[in-house]
Amino acid sequence: MKKREMYCNPDVCPNCIYIGEGDSICDVTHEVVLEDWDPTENFMGQGCPYIKKLHEKDGRKK
């Protein structure tokens, strides 16, 4: 089975916490990442534990 990619989605990412009405926060960065189910400027922002993994997979360094 293929490993799922992580991103700001309370159904996928264990750090994304649904707080109601389509809003979610990241428990790592303590920022609102989804407002009314739309990404905010903090969506997978600085401090996201999965950004580094994505860059390493692409062969880039952050």
Side-chain angles (χ1 to χ4, degrees):
M1 186 161 106
K2 186 177 179 181
K3 187 175 179 181
R4 296 172 78 180
E5 290 292 331
M6 295 298 209
Y7 57 93
C8 298
N9 178 330
D11 294 331
V12 178
C13 179
N15 301 111
C16 190
I17 300 170
Y18 181 70
I19 57 173
E21 297 187 16
D23 297 349
S24 297
I25 61 169
C26 175
D27 71 351
V28 174
T29 64
H30 305 286
E31 300 285 348
V32 175
V33 292
L34 295 170
E35 285 183 318
D36 200 21
W37 298 110
D38 291 323
T40 68
E41 63 186 31
N42 299 310
F43 185 85
M44 292 192 76
Q46 186 173 0
C48 175
Y50 300 104
I51 291 292
K52 183 177 180 183
K53 290 179 185 178
L54 291 174
H55 287 297
E56 288 173 354
K57 182 178 177 182
D58 292 341
R60 295 179 281 164
K61 290 185 178 178
K62 182 169 177 167

